[in-house]
């Protein structure tokens, strides 16, 4: 059944519903306290809701209850402490407790890429539903937030039907999230839109009550939060389509970088030149080592796999190309390294045997400690495999990086990292690297060669300080 609601229906027209628990505002649970669930749980407590975060990982739950955020996300620590103290926020491993407490249960578990292919693994979704549903002794709403293949919401509804007591009349809705790491608190408190995929007026009413804090905050700041009310498949697609578009935009400018490299043009100027056109826009048009992280790479692959299953694989073939462009940019850094160091480039890549290379940056983007599918770490692995002695420094991501790639050296500071380097590669655009003084660093290295994998340095200033500079899609300077 499709949604009987249209997106231009005003929210004022939505009937107020009483939470089944009898509480004045719906009580919320967030199933899965990873990056997504922990951030949402903490921020919705900040908006005034009574919140319970749920996870199977007891160590993580203990940490959160003790006031420690397991991830690096600006602003989240203070909000966790504040809301634990206020008594609005708790964390548990007990699904029976979650079922007794909650009116709205947000599904926030991970959907990683399957080890045997491109598709998403829905194992955590299934186990969260099967763990919760049998305990649901009264009416409740389960809301999917996890990024899933289109069609999953229907399947979740069937799972709930199978495992929840029939008398509870539990309903399902879908409301994807669009958090960007480093800005996640803002993105939850002040979203640029919310999507409500619903099948009933009651579900819409509950979702509205569960987001009233978001709407009220916007009203006090004289802002609007657009709401798109829609059916399940459109809500599910809203997330993957957005990420596919963003990934394609980045790969588009990286493809232009390849053309710039062949023709002597400068992609940073090209991006400015086209980005002033409001139809194109200048955001997500930064060429470099490409996109990584827990979302874009896996989401475009899962989207292709799902399209294939639906018989429309052809329609998303360009996403395969976007992925290939992205992978080629990582290899480009190795080519540039060989070129700068005058090393031979054989059929298996270059021989960088014995060269001291310093990599600045390990996380997939700045202001995060996340190294999942990080282009920087992928390049570190390639450099190390080519025989280079690699030293890595990152302001926040060292512990995670050392777990992923233990075979290289980790330095405790930028200064320690660059000492004796024959080549420096900047692969994540932290402010500490952008603002580094090329003259001072030049005194410490043994060869003034730099690859600017994020086009975040000023080539003129670095060249003036005696560096051989190579950017991505930019003319070289000797
Ligand atoms: C992304 C989406 O932006 C977010 O809406 C969704 O909910 C989750 O996935 P995130 O993974 O936090 O968020 O990172 P994002 O800021 O989108 O950057 C992704 C990658 O693209 C990073 O590696 C970044 O360095 C790279 N990037 C981004 C570019 O290479 N060029 C750009 O112009 C922008």
């Amino acid at each position: 059944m499709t949604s009987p609601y249209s997106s231009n229906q005003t929210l004022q027209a939505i009937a107020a519903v009483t939470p089944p628990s009898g509480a004045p505002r719906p009580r919320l649970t967030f199933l899965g306290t990873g990056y997504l669930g922990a951030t949402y749980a903490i921020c919705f407590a900040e908006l005034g809701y009574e919140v319970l975060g749920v996870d199977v990982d007891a160590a993580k739950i203990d940490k959160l209850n003790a006031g420690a955020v397991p991830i690096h996300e600006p602003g989240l620590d203070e909000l966790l402490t504040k809301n634990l103290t206020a008594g609005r926020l708790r964390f548990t491993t007990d699904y029976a407790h979650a079922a007794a407490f909650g009116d709205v249960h947000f599904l926030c578990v991970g959907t990683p890429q399957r080890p045997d292919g491109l598709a998403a693994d829905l194992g955590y979704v299934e186990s969260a539903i099967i763990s919760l549903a049998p305990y649901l002794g009264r009416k409740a709403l389960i809301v999917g937030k996890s990024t899933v293949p289109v069609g999953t919401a229907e399947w979740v509804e069937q799972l709930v039907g199978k495992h929840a007591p029939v008398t509870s009349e539990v309903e399902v809705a879908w409301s994807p999230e669009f958090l960007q790491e480093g800005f996640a608190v803002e993105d939850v408190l002040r979203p640029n839109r919310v999507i409500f995929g619903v099948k009933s007026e009651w579900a819409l009413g509950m979702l509205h009550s569960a987001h009233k804090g978001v709407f009220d905050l916007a009203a006090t700041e004289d802002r609007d939060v657009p709401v798109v009310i829609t059916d399940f498949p459109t809500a599910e697609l809203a997330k993957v389509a957005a990420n596919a578009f963003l990934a394609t935009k980045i790969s588009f400018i990286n493809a232009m970088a390849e053309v710039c490299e062949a023709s002597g043009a400068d992609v940073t100027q090209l991006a400015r030149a086209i980005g002033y056109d409001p139809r194109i826009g200048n955001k997500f048009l930064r060429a470099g080592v490409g996109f990584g992280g827990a979302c874009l790479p896996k989401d475009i692959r899962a989207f292709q796999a799902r399209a294939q299953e639906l018989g429309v694989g052809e329609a998303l073939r360009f996403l395969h190309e976007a992925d290939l462009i992205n992978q080629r940019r990582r290899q480009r850094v190795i080519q540039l390294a060989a070129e700068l160091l005058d090393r031979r480039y054989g059929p298996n890549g270059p021989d960088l045997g014995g060269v001291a290379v310093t990599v600045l940056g390990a996380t997939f983007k700045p202001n995060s400690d996340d190294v999942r599918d990080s282009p920087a770490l992928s390049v570190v692995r390639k450099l190390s495999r080519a025989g280079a002695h690699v030293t890595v420094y990152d302001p926040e991501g060292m512990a995670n990086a050392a777990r992923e790639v233990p075979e290289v050296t980790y330095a405790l500071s930028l200064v320690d990292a660059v000492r004796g380097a024959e080549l420096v590669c900047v692969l994540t655009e932290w402010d500490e690297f952008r603002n580094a003084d090329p003259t001072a660093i030049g005194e410490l290295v043994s060869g003034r060669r730099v690859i600017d994998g994020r086009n975040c340095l000023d080539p003129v200033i670095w060249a003036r300080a005696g560096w051989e500079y190579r950017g991505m899609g930019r003319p070289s300077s000797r």
Side-chain angles (χ1 to χ4, degrees):
M1 182 180 126
T2 55
S3 168
Y5 305 101
S6 67
S7 56
N8 56 11
Q9 183 180 38
T10 59
L11 281 170
Q12 279 74 16
I14 297 168
V17 285
T18 312
S21 67
R25 305 177 91 182
R27 294 200 203 129
L28 314 179
T29 82
F30 292 87
L31 311 177
T33 58
Y35 187 80
L36 170 63
T39 308
Y40 261 93
I42 295 167
C43 290
F44 269 73
E46 174 66 14
L47 290 168
Y49 291 94
E50 273 194 80
V51 172
L52 189 61
V54 188
D55 206 293
V56 291
D57 182 343
K60 200 187 271 178
I61 290 299
D62 290 346
K63 237 179 140 175
L64 284 160
N65 275 325
V69 180
I71 47 165
H72 172 82
E73 185 59 42
L76 209 51
D77 290 270
E78 300 82 51
L79 293 187
L80 172 62
T81 313
K82 181 178 160 197
N83 287 287
L84 283 173
T85 311
R88 281 190 295 267
L89 175 62
R90 277 159 303 143
F91 295 90
T92 184
T93 55
D94 184 349
Y95 272 98
H97 179 193
F101 171 88
D103 295 301
V104 180
H105 303 277
F106 288 100
L107 189 58
C108 299
V109 294
T111 51
Q113 187 174 337
R114 288 172 61 106
D116 58 353
L118 297 183
D121 182 349
L122 296 178
Y124 297 120
V125 172
E126 183 170 18
S127 91
I129 297 296
I130 290 176
S131 305
L132 177 77
Y135 295 113
L136 292 170
R138 61 165 187 265
K139 193 163 175 71
L141 182 67
I142 296 178
V143 183
K145 281 226 159 285
S146 307
T147 303
V148 292
V150 59
T152 303
E154 286 288 343
W155 171 71
V156 164
E157 198 178 56
Q158 284 161 19
L159 265 185
V160 171
K162 208 157 108 194
H163 294 274
V166 183
T167 48
S168 330
E169 298 175 337
V170 175
E171 293 195 28
V172 171
W174 217 262
S175 178
E177 54 75 32
F178 302 96
L179 303 194
Q180 303 164 76
E181 295 195 18
F183 304 93
V185 170
E186 268 302 287
D187 285 346
V188 176
L189 297 179
R190 297 177 177 82
N192 48 27
R193 81 287 208 189
V194 291
I195 315 293
F196 293 161
V198 289
K199 282 192 181 176
S200 80
E201 194 145 338
W202 181 82
L204 186 57
M206 283 304 288
L207 265 179
H208 184 239
S209 307
H211 286 78
K212 195 161 180 309
V214 173
F215 301 134
D216 288 348
L217 176 64
T220 64
E221 295 172 351
D222 210 16
R223 275 183 300 110
D224 241 2
V225 179
V227 180
V228 181
I229 302 167
T230 185
D231 49 41
F232 283 3
T234 310
E236 293 165 309
L237 279 174
K239 174 61 188 274
V240 280
N243 277 356
F245 187 86
L246 294 173
T248 305
K249 197 169 179 193
I250 299 169
S251 276
F252 171 82
I253 200 66
N254 280 331
M256 293 305 110
E258 289 188 38
V259 178
C260 286
E261 278 151 14
S263 60
D266 184 332
V267 76
T268 63
Q269 302 286 355
L270 179 66
R272 287 184 59 211
I274 63 173
Y276 282 122
D277 183 334
R279 291 170 303 174
I280 296 173
N282 57 12
K283 298 215 171 93
F284 271 67
L285 217 50
R286 281 177 285 115
V289 277
F291 59 80
C295 296
L296 298 193
K298 93 160 161 70
D299 289 353
I300 62 167
R301 291 172 199 150
F303 198 12
Q304 288 169 75
R306 185 65 184 132
Q308 201 78 41
E309 285 170 6
L310 292 169
V312 286
E314 293 261 311
L316 297 192
R317 242 194 357 224
F318 69 96
L319 287 180
H320 177 61
E321 211 50 57
D323 206 354
L324 291 180
I325 294 166
N326 198 49
Q327 299 301 327
R328 276 206 299 276
R329 289 288 84 187
R330 300 173 181 194
Q331 193 57 33
R332 171 69 180 160
V333 179
I334 310 302
Q335 278 173 359
L336 286 174
E339 208 179 292
L340 270 174
L341 292 159
D342 288 326
R343 289 298 181 112
R344 202 176 40 83
Y345 205 96
N348 301 321
D351 175 11
L352 300 178
V355 185
V357 179
T358 293
V359 171
L360 299 178
T363 53
F364 83 103
K365 68 178 196 183
N367 305 317
S368 162
D369 64 353
D370 197 340
V371 299
R372 286 176 289 175
D373 208 338
S374 163
L377 271 199
S378 157
V379 171
V380 165
R381 272 200 202 92
K382 288 181 196 293
L383 288 167
S384 173
R385 249 183 257 135
H389 294 310
V390 186
T391 303
V392 179
Y393 168 69
D394 187 281
E396 292 290 344
M398 304 264 273
N400 288 338
R403 257 193 302 277
E404 288 267 318
V405 189
E407 64 270 24
V408 299
T409 306
Y410 291 88
L412 291 177
S413 68
L414 169 55
V415 166
D416 281 349
V418 296
R419 206 168 270 131
E422 292 161 79
L423 169 66
V424 175
C425 304
V426 178
L427 300 183
T428 314
E429 68 276 35
W430 287 95
D431 281 347
E432 187 181 355
F433 308 150
R434 276 177 191 283
N435 302 329
D437 175 1
T439 308
I441 295 181
E443 303 293 325
L444 300 170
V445 297
S446 69
R448 295 186 182 196
R449 300 178 193 92
V450 63
I451 296 174
D452 181 4
R454 292 290 182 180
N455 292 339
C456 63
L457 309 177
D458 185 331
V460 175
I461 294 176
W462 281 71
R464 222 180 267 148
W467 289 77
E468 274 185 75
Y469 172 95
R470 291 284 189 286
M472 306 294 286
R474 310 179 92 172
S476 53
S477 76
R478 279 236 177 207

